[in-house]
Amino acid sequence: MINPNFTEYKNLHIKILLSLLVFICFFSSLNTIPPLDRDESRYIQATVQMMESKDFINIKFLDAPRLKKPPGIYWMQALSATIVKNILFLEKAPLWSFRLPSAIAASISVWLTFLLGKLLFGRTQGFIAALLLLSSPLVFIESHIAKTDSVLMACVLFIIYIFAKIIFDSKFKDNYLSKYLILFAWLVMGFAFLIKGPLIILFIFFMAIFFRIFSGINFIKECRIITGFSIFLLISLPWFIIINLGANSEIFVSSIKKDMLLKLVSVQESHGAPPGTYFISSIVSAWPIFLFIIPTIIWSYKNKHNKAIIFLLSSILPAWVSFELIPTKLLHYILPLLPSLAILTSAMLIFNFKSSSILLSLDKLYLKLISILPALGGIVISIGVLYLAKLFGEGFTISVLIIALVYFLGSIFSGYYLFVRNYINALLLVIFTNLIALNIIFIYLPHQLSKIWVTEKIYEKIQEKNIDTSFALLGYSEPSLIYRLGSNTKILTSNEEAITFFLKHSFKYLIIEDSYLEEFKIMAEQNLLSIKLLDKKITGFNYSNGKFINISIIHII
């Protein structure tokens, strides 16, 4: 058996190793994936327009107000893009500069997971928890996408860490910096409100209440409620007030109703799923952590009076149950819950290594068989990679086969180690499996899935033709294409609108989907518009609506 006793290592060794892994996993492949549809490209394009217009209050996507989310993430992306652009003396901020806040936030979350685990259980548990979080597919993915979720996770985790310092660190109160850290946590909470709206309250308020009820510890009085809440309001409210009093107030109220309130009671944007979806999907999305979910549940229940376990369960269960009951389901909603679950898992693993008697119930055959079911997550990922490569890529290339084989073998052997209750070997295996395979996926796989990058094909064709002007779009008008083409791009919705538009405006190019092409040709001829098709059609798969499409570029002469 491999000895997991890392306590002989200094904190410096752990910090160096985590820093190296964080850089490799979150930063080295930040530019390998083209802009994603639809959310990421909407965020990036809205940020680009904000930088162009210098209007940091009224966020827009083309001409439409972008008020579904508060402005915090746009401000962060704008700051990141501006810094990168100026430091590197670039004319245009690169795609990866908009993703930097997500990568940095994911890195902070890994560090905070280590610190929180160390505080609650010890250095070894904190280190293992950080590795579990670092190697989780969902964390890996969100660190590479210019959205809100990684930043929200870091904000939630920082507040939880300060809570833990108040409750479990006896020396914290005597530290002259403690009051400033508590107030800073309130500031972070206000900023998190500007990132994702009231979702931060769901995580933090429920956790505080449940921990107070089940632990009997009244730590809330130490949180400087009056001063802190004033800071929270000072940070979070001004933008909402300004927008509500402005010209877009009706759109703002409608966005809040649709994006926040209606998701609580009905399925929105076709993202509905039954309760239990997050639990089942986490076998894949959080595979390293969820591999040990059965022993973790049993161990947590048998130690349910432990204050640290109550603390972590209070940060997981209320929010998780709420998300399971809400009709609208999106996998990234549970991202802020994964650090606490990783720490709980690492504590179980080390406790079991030192004394396995508490998990003797897992020696029963039926419980052994149930406990190895999460190992199937690796096989599911392996099949998924092969399917994507066959349908949308270049087939079974060497890199695809390596990824699939690594996950398949990792799944088989981790299942075996779970069955014989050799959890430390299962832990090391699943961490190395994900770290190796996920890095290969993000470095090599995107370029091989050529059929799904329709926008990139169009953009490459335009660059090849050296066309530097504004475009109109008819049919295919995904946000990624608008980001690539620029803020002057015009979206058209019908052939009638397209003909009228070209008769009245000086636009010279139209990117048109095949379903509109023949009718457009006829109507252009009828209206004496001379057109020329550039080269052959561009083909691909629009993953936003699940359809194979053909695209043509038309020059209006």
Side-chain angles (χ1 to χ4, degrees), residues 181-198:
L181 285 172
I182 292 171
L183 294 178
F184 185 70
W186 280 100
L187 187 148
V188 170
M189 188 171 178
F191 184 71
F193 200 89
L194 286 176
I195 293 292
K196 197 95 172 179

Side-chain angles (χ1 to χ4, degrees), residues 262-287:
L262 288 181
K263 284 183 177 179
L264 299 177
V265 296
S266 61
V267 175
Q268 298 296 308
E269 300 172 359
S270 302
H271 294 307
T277 297
Y278 289 116
F279 188 88
I280 295 172
S281 62
S282 294
I283 293 174
V284 172
S285 64
W287 188 44

Side-chain angles (χ1 to χ4, degrees), residues 302-318:
K302 291 189 176 183
N303 291 275
K304 57 182 177 291
H305 299 298
N306 182 295
K307 295 296 190 292
I309 292 175
I310 294 173
F311 181 80
L312 292 172
L313 290 176
S314 297
S315 69
I316 299 169
L317 291 180

Side-chain angles (χ1 to χ4, degrees), residues 13 115 120 177 206 225 234 352 410 414 430 469 490:
H13 297 121
L115 294 174
L120 295 179
L177 290 175
F206 278 3
I225 298 294
L234 188 64
N352 180 71
S414 63
V430 75
T469 186
K490 176 67 177 178

Side-chain angles (χ1 to χ4, degrees), residues 40 134 145 240 254 266 354 368 408 439 450 490 520:
E40 181 187 46
L134 175 70
I145 303 177
F240 288 91
S254 176
S266 61
K354 294 178 179 179
K368 278 189 173 184
F408 181 79
N439 276 288
S450 55
K490 176 67 177 178
F520 180 81

Side-chain angles (χ1 to χ4, degrees), residues 150-165:
S150 281
V151 178
L152 179 65
M153 175 173 64
C155 292
V156 170
L157 192 52
F158 178 79
I159 298 168
I160 291 175
Y161 177 65
I162 296 302
F163 279 175
K165 294 287 283 185

Side-chain angles (χ1 to χ4, degrees), residues 94-202:
L95 172 62
W96 60 267
S97 66
F98 297 94
R99 291 170 170 166
L100 267 182
S102 293
I104 293 172
S107 305
I108 292 172
S109 296
V110 170
W111 280 107
L112 286 172
T113 300
F114 167 65
L115 294 174
L116 181 57
K118 178 185 174 185
L119 174 63
L120 295 179
F121 297 105
R123 183 188 300 159
T124 304
Q125 289 88 332
F127 181 58
I128 291 173
L131 291 178
L132 284 169
L133 186 72
L134 175 70
S135 58
S136 294
L138 184 59
V139 176
F140 223 94
I141 292 168
E142 291 297 335
S143 71
H144 287 71
I145 303 177
K147 297 197 343 299
T148 58
D149 302 287
S150 281
V151 178
L152 179 65
M153 175 173 64
C155 292
V156 170
L157 192 52
F158 178 79
I159 298 168
I160 291 175
Y161 177 65
I162 296 302
F163 279 175
K165 294 287 283 185
I166 295 171
I167 298 166
F168 297 100
D169 188 350
S170 58
K171 298 179 181 179
F172 183 67
K173 297 175 185 177
D174 300 328
N175 190 329
Y176 75 98
L177 290 175
S178 62
K179 63 179 180 180
Y180 299 109
L181 285 172
I182 292 171
L183 294 178
F184 185 70
W186 280 100
L187 187 148
V188 170
M189 188 171 178
F191 184 71
F193 200 89
L194 286 176
I195 293 292
K196 197 95 172 179
L199 201 56
I200 184 69
I201 297 174
L202 171 67

Side-chain angles (χ1 to χ4, degrees), residues 203-306:
F203 291 112
I204 301 304
F205 179 76
F206 278 3
M207 179 205 166
I209 296 300
F210 272 73
F211 182 74
R212 174 67 181 87
I213 293 172
F214 290 101
S215 72
I217 298 175
N218 185 12
F219 74 99
I220 298 176
K221 62 182 181 180
E222 307 289 340
C223 294
R224 300 180 176 269
I225 298 294
I226 296 177
T227 306
F229 192 65
S230 299
I231 293 174
F232 169 77
L233 293 178
L234 188 64
I235 297 295
S236 61
L237 279 188
W239 180 82
F240 288 91
I241 294 173
I242 293 171
I243 288 296
N244 196 46
L245 295 176
N248 295 321
S249 60
E250 291 185 7
I251 298 174
F252 175 59
V253 172
S254 176
S255 296
I256 291 179
K257 179 181 177 183
K258 182 178 180 181
D259 195 61
M260 297 180 188
L261 300 180
L262 288 181
K263 284 183 177 179
L264 299 177
V265 296
S266 61
V267 175
Q268 298 296 308
E269 300 172 359
S270 302
H271 294 307
T277 297
Y278 289 116
F279 188 88
I280 295 172
S281 62
S282 294
I283 293 174
V284 172
S285 64
W287 188 44
I289 303 171
F290 247 68
L291 181 67
F292 307 99
I293 191 63
I294 303 301
T296 300
I297 290 173
I298 294 173
W299 178 80
S300 300
Y301 177 76
K302 291 189 176 183
N303 291 275
K304 57 182 177 291
H305 299 298
N306 182 295

